[in-house]
Amino acid sequence: MRAPKIYTLLVASMLVTAQVSAQQIIKGTVIDKETKVPLEQATVTDNTSGMAVQTDARGKFILKAPSKQPIVITVAYVGYVQVFDTITEEQSVLIELSKSGVQLRDITITASKSPLYSTQILSTLDLNAHPAKTAQDLLRLVPGLFVAQHQGGGKAEGLALRGFDADHGTDLGIFVDGMPVNLPAHAHGQGYADLHFLIPELVGSYEWGKGTYYSNKGDYTTAGFVSYNTKDFLDQSFVKVEGGRFTTGRLSAAINLLDSKAREKGQSLYVAGEAVYTNGGPFTNVPEHFKRYNFFGKFITPLGEKNTLTVETSTLWSKWNSAGEIPERAVDSGYVDSRWGAFDTHQTGFTTRTNAIVKLKSDLGSNLIWNNEAFYSNYHLNLFTNFTANYFYPADGDEFRQFENRNLFGYHSTLSQTNYAGSTSFNTNYGVGFRTDLMNPLGLDHTKDGAFLENIERGIAHETNLYGFVDENIRNGNWLFNVGLRYDYFNFYYLNQSTSSIATGIFGGLDPHAHAGTVSPKINIEYTFNPAFQLYLKTGKGFHSNDVRVVIAQQGKEILPSAYGTDLGFNWKPTSRLFINTALWYLFLKSEFTYGSDLIDQPGGPMEASGRTVRYGIDFSGRYQVLDWLYAGLNLNYAHPRSIDDPKGENYIPLAPTFTSTGELDFKFKNGLNGGISYRYMHDRAGNEDYSLTCQGYFVTDLAVNYTKKRYEIGLSVENLFNVKWDEIQREYESQFKGEAHPVDEMSYIPGVPFFPKLKFTLFF
């Protein structure tokens, strides 16, 4: 019986050897035909076997075809024309892809090398269908992300996502070209993320992710993150003029400074700028006189054959007036003349931010890519607000000045390598970095009519975050396993310089130093059944840091509260023109940061953490290409947010969204006519913990119509097409007017923009 077994093994060995020798190994590179830039995550498919791989950061791929016969491969990348190529022998091929309009029928669901695959499909589709016009539009590109502006475009937007009222960025990490936008220990709110230094026409791509599942993202990434990338190469220079209601005007321009020969060498240099002015709306006694000026410059050049250097700079200058939030009773009682009035006419703001970024990308060989980035920001804010009338100070009123001057330094380095073992690929990423924020001064003053009365809080604050992570993507056949581990260390310092009784009562005798560290593991699994259906499971731990002033005041309590999340979802193409992404999700937070509960931005503000919270819900996104020229999108987002430590009925999370929806219908004809109509819907939500106050929902519709030719574009956009009455920002305040015997606890609001048409003209050259 032994001989037949040996014979069987020999035959099997010969068959395996024959099969291996019959394999054809195809190596290649995929690049942009015009810019010669490598395209990462382009999909290369063997049409005979159906085997597919994706390109790495260098645009390179290795495809093992099961046959020595000539094979046909398809190379696809969202936003580019598919390429079909016949390979007759083992060779290294160069595939050049040309940009085109995005067609849903060209998109197939494939086993990816990243857990962000589905969101990258959505982001490419959405940016192509309706390009962003403002910083608010950029944020609204993320399905389920709602924004609210309550200082005329001068302050950072208020953010809401996945059952979070994330204030100005407490639970949403925002990045531009790898540089963090969120500012810790900000004078106005923890994690404050002012995106207005980014000129929207310069955004070439963006990626986003919801939840706590991404090893290369740390602080504030609990609800999720969004990261914008400016264009490396400007398609064409332009000058744009816009004007509309409320004395609104905008002038923007971007100019290529190098010719086509430089582009062929991989070089690019362009500059851009914008100037914006508006009175901001029908405010009766406080015209906003909002002004903003931006400048941006970016330079890219190869350094030899293996390195690419990128240098960019940007700056923002902005100044405005604001009516501010007013209580609901203010109009009813006649204390304010209309919902467009103000009880304090000296609420103003001024801010600047100047950034510099230097990147070096190096190909070290052996499938190893090394990316290094250093960044610097200088930031200033001077903000006068009055939310509560005469509640804290009956005689002089509750006008306060929040101010800071900040220098931000940072650096991060990543090594990425792709290796193969048989049919299994291993993409490994190592990363280390730091950021240091130096705030001097950081404070709060009591003012009246813009004049100084007394200092309430003033100090010097330092915060440093050191981090490192490792992230492994293992792909075998239809499976993708992503395993990551991240470590963050924080060092805090706050030196009180105020002699006020409030500040000395909080910080007197306390150690100004504190530190803490946290480990964040991540596991993501994805299985692709076929080119039409993919199932994924994501799970991980994240965190959000607390304000340095609260950290010192509480002597290290709840410095880095943890967040634990899980997503179970799928990507599905039931037809060639329909793409669906759906996820069930769950998130637990060890300590919630709600508006006004954890930050010292008011006199005697509460110092206790808000306690544990839980959220669960479902997200749905659908994109349907009705016709080649007609594109539809729908997002439905449900969340159930609750506090764990409070009694039932008193455990609502104030301002947390529960149901939101956005949708659009966009068209693009070959004759140059394009545009679309879109809506955003926010359901009613709790205004306070027992839901005795309601934050009213809204349904707002916008319209855009353009006529685009090679050398020019004429366009009309209308915000709030049907002129509905709605409130953009709503918050609970306990306020008291002069003459009132007692304070009143109720919702305050700033009205949303009414019917707002704008015209634009763009010249391309």
Side-chain angles (χ1 to χ4, degrees):
M1 297 294 292
R2 183 175 180 83
K5 289 183 178 180
I6 295 174
Y7 177 76
T8 302
L9 290 173
L10 288 173
V11 171
S13 176
M14 292 171 63
L15 290 173
V16 170
T17 303
Q19 183 180 20
V20 171
S21 64
Q23 282 187 341
Q24 183 174 185
I25 300 176
I26 303 167
K27 299 180 181 181
T29 306
V30 181
I31 63 174
D32 182 294
K33 185 174 183 178
E34 183 178 3
T35 65
K36 311 304 179 185
V37 172
L39 297 177
E40 184 178 7
Q41 295 196 26
T43 301
V44 183
T45 306
D46 173 5
N47 292 353
T48 302
S49 67
M51 294 182 62
V53 296
Q54 288 189 315
T55 55
D56 61 17
R58 302 166 301 163
K60 296 185 179 296
F61 68 90
I62 299 177
L63 179 63
K64 297 183 179 180
S67 173
K68 277 284 189 179
Q69 300 300 318
I71 65 169
V72 177
I73 63 171
T74 300
V75 184
Y77 192 79
V78 180
Y80 286 76
V81 178
Q82 286 189 2
V83 168
F84 301 90
D85 200 356
T86 300
I87 310 298
T88 58
E89 58 183 11
E90 292 190 7
Q91 56 180 298
S92 181
V93 296
L94 177 66
I95 307 293
E96 296 184 326
L97 299 185
S98 300
K99 288 184 178 179
S100 71
V102 177
Q103 299 291 326
L104 256 173
R105 62 173 177 265
D106 296 335
I107 296 173
T108 58
I109 295 174
T110 183
S112 66
K113 56 175 286 187
S114 166
L116 287 173
Y117 173 67
S118 59
T119 66
Q120 289 167 345
I121 291 178
L122 288 169
S123 64
T124 304
L125 290 171
D126 292 346
L127 189 61
N128 179 78
H130 37 89
K133 302 180 291 295
T134 66
Q136 292 189 18
D137 291 332
L138 288 172
L139 292 165
R140 288 179 182 139
L141 285 169
V142 179
L145 176 56
F146 273 62
V147 302
Q149 176 56 243
H150 59 125
Q151 284 275 342
K155 283 169 60 177
E157 274 71 25
L159 306 171
L161 178 69
R162 274 204 167 180
F164 280 92
D165 169 58
D167 198 22
H168 295 287
T170 307
D171 291 282
L172 182 70
I174 300 178
F175 305 85
V176 171
D177 288 334
M179 177 186 68
V181 179
N182 302 74
L183 301 178
H186 188 269
H188 186 68
Q190 173 69 345
Y192 186 91
D194 185 354
L195 194 62
H196 294 111
F197 64 83
L198 180 59
I199 300 173
E201 290 89 348
L202 303 184
V203 173
S205 65
Y206 70 103
E207 64 178 10
W208 55 270
K210 298 178 183 178
T212 58
Y213 317 123
Y214 315 103
S215 301
N216 63 341
K217 301 295 186 293
D219 203 1
Y220 312 116
T221 312
T222 46
F225 80 92
V226 56
S227 180
Y228 300 96
N229 302 303
T230 58
K231 296 177 180 179
D232 288 339
F233 295 85
L234 201 62
D235 295 331
Q236 52 190 336
S237 301
F238 70 86
V239 175
K240 179 186 292 187
V241 180
E242 300 173 82
R245 194 180 177 192
F246 313 126
T247 321
T248 298
R250 178 176 182 257
L251 174 64
S252 59
I255 301 174
N256 269 315
L257 298 180
L258 297 180
D259 58 18
S260 58
K261 292 183 179 180
R263 175 172 291 199
E264 292 174 0
K265 298 177 182 178
Q267 293 181 322
S268 172
L269 173 61
Y270 70 91
V271 294
E274 72 169 349
V276 181
Y277 176 83
T278 183
N279 268 348
F283 294 99
T284 54
N285 53 351
V286 187
E288 289 187 342
H289 294 306
F290 170 77
K291 309 177 190 70
R292 182 173 71 237
Y293 304 102
N294 275 335
F295 173 81
F296 179 88
K298 190 170 189 177
F299 173 65
I300 297 176
T301 186
L303 298 178
E305 296 182 356
K306 300 291 186 179
N307 302 285
T308 301
L309 175 69
T310 302
V311 180
E312 66 181 79
T313 183
S314 59
T315 188
L316 158 75
W317 183 99
S318 186
K319 189 176 183 180
W320 66 92
N321 301 321
S322 173
E325 291 99 323
I326 59 174
E328 293 176 343
R329 72 185 187 283
V331 178
D332 297 336
S333 66
Y335 196 85
V336 174
D337 61 357
S338 75
R339 60 188 263 104
W340 299 100
F343 59 77
D344 186 328
T345 59
H346 292 83
Q347 299 182 76
T348 64
F350 172 75
T351 189
T352 65
R353 179 166 178 165
T354 299
N355 311 297
I357 299 174
V358 178
K359 296 181 182 181
L360 181 64
K361 182 178 181 179
S362 303
D363 184 348
L364 303 182
S366 301
N367 299 326
L368 188 61
I369 300 295
W370 188 19
N371 285 291
N372 290 277
E373 176 173 355
F375 52 86
Y376 165 76
S377 292
N378 176 262
Y379 175 83
H380 179 76
L381 175 76
N382 200 36
L383 182 66
F384 293 84
T385 56
N386 185 346
F387 305 129
T388 52
N390 296 75
Y391 173 64
F392 291 107
Y393 298 97
D396 294 318
D398 299 345
E399 183 183 285
F400 301 109
R401 171 188 174 234
Q402 297 167 326
F403 59 94
E404 70 164 78
N405 187 64
R406 175 187 306 249
N407 286 290
L408 162 63
F409 305 86
Y411 166 79
H412 54 83
S413 176
T414 58
L415 278 171
S416 178
Q417 186 172 34
T418 301
N419 292 305
Y420 299 88
S423 60
T424 304
S425 67
F426 300 85
N427 176 249
T428 308
N429 298 280
Y430 303 95
V432 295
F434 78 92
R435 67 172 287 179
T436 296
D437 291 74
L438 308 176
M439 293 78 80
N440 184 14
L442 172 65
L444 178 73
D445 287 342
H446 182 206
T447 61
K448 182 178 181 180
D449 297 338
F452 175 83
L453 293 179
E454 63 175 332
N455 172 252
I456 299 172
E457 173 198 328
R458 184 186 180 97
I460 299 174
H462 298 168
E463 181 174 323
T464 297
N465 172 208
L466 305 173
Y467 60 85
F469 67 87
V470 59
D471 187 81
E472 183 74 40
N473 296 284
I474 305 170
R475 179 182 168 185
N476 181 278
N478 295 333
W479 287 97
L480 172 70
F481 297 91
N482 169 258
V483 181
L485 188 67
R486 181 184 177 96
Y487 178 74
D488 285 87
Y489 171 82
F490 286 80
N491 186 277
F492 300 90
Y493 173 81
Y494 181 73
L495 178 64
N496 174 48
Q497 295 180 317
S498 174
T499 58
S500 72
S501 58
I502 293 174
T504 55
I506 294 174
F507 299 106
L510 297 182
D511 184 349
H513 300 273
H515 62 88
T518 186
V519 177
S520 303
K522 328 276 186 177
I523 300 177
N524 304 302
I525 303 173
E526 177 185 287
Y527 184 77
T528 304
F529 289 84
N530 52 55
F533 190 79
Q534 183 181 76
L535 187 69
Y536 61 84
L537 174 68
K538 299 180 180 181
T539 183
K541 173 179 175 287
F543 68 95
H544 54 191
S545 64
N546 212 336
D547 188 295
V548 62
R549 294 162 292 181
V550 180
V551 168
I552 299 304
Q554 296 186 151
Q555 286 295 276
K557 180 183 176 182
E558 299 293 356
I559 295 179
L560 304 173
S562 302
Y564 300 87
T566 299
D567 271 38
L568 176 63
F570 62 82
N571 300 308
W572 184 28
K573 282 198 74 179
T575 71
S576 63
R577 291 178 177 267
L578 177 62
F579 176 80
I580 293 174
N581 170 253
T582 301
L584 294 167
W585 58 271
Y586 171 89
L587 184 65
F588 166 80
L589 264 71
K590 189 176 179 180
S591 179
E592 178 83 10
F593 293 170
T594 57
Y595 175 80
S597 295
D598 297 279
L599 308 180
I600 312 172
D601 59 1
Q602 296 290 315
M607 296 300 300
E608 294 300 322
S610 301
R612 299 175 300 163
T613 59
V614 64
R615 290 169 169 83
Y616 58 83
I618 183 169
D619 291 336
F620 171 90
S621 291
R623 303 293 182 267
Y624 181 51
Q625 193 152 10
V626 186
L627 300 166
D628 286 352
W629 55 268
L630 187 61
Y631 172 90
L634 175 67
N635 301 301
L636 303 171
N637 307 96
Y638 169 76
H640 182 85
R642 291 292 187 270
S643 169
I644 295 177
D645 299 323
D646 295 315
K648 186 176 181 179
E650 300 177 14
N651 62 340
Y652 293 93
I653 300 177
L655 311 182
T658 56
F659 179 72
T660 63
S661 177
T662 58
E664 66 277 335
L665 193 63
D666 298 290
F667 61 90
K668 185 177 290 186
F669 293 108
K670 292 182 179 180
N671 64 2
L673 190 64
N674 63 90
I677 187 167
S678 62
Y679 77 86
R680 57 188 187 274
Y681 170 73
M682 172 79 76
H683 191 64
D684 292 351
R685 57 200 193 277
N688 57 357
E689 288 81 358
D690 62 4
Y691 213 152
S692 58
L693 297 175
T694 299
C695 192
Q696 300 292 334
Y698 56 83
F699 188 103
V700 177
T701 306
D702 299 329
L703 173 72
V705 179
N706 306 300
Y707 183 66
T708 308
K709 304 303 286 184
K710 184 177 181 180
R711 292 299 180 188
Y712 67 90
E713 180 179 71
I714 301 171
L716 167 69
S717 65
V718 182
E719 296 181 45
N720 195 356
L721 177 64
F722 301 112
N723 198 30
V724 299
K725 179 181 176 182
W726 66 293
D727 296 328
E728 184 156 8
I729 197 77
Q730 300 170 73
R731 299 195 186 281
E732 177 195 17
Y733 287 111
E734 194 169 3
S735 60
Q736 186 172 5
F737 295 132
K738 286 184 177 181
E740 289 185 324
H742 305 285
V744 178
D745 185 13
E746 64 176 338
M747 300 301 291
S748 294
Y749 66 89
I750 286 182
V753 64
F755 179 77
F756 185 13
K758 289 186 290 185
L759 290 170
K760 70 175 180 181
F761 176 77
T762 308
L763 180 66
F764 303 109
F765 57 95

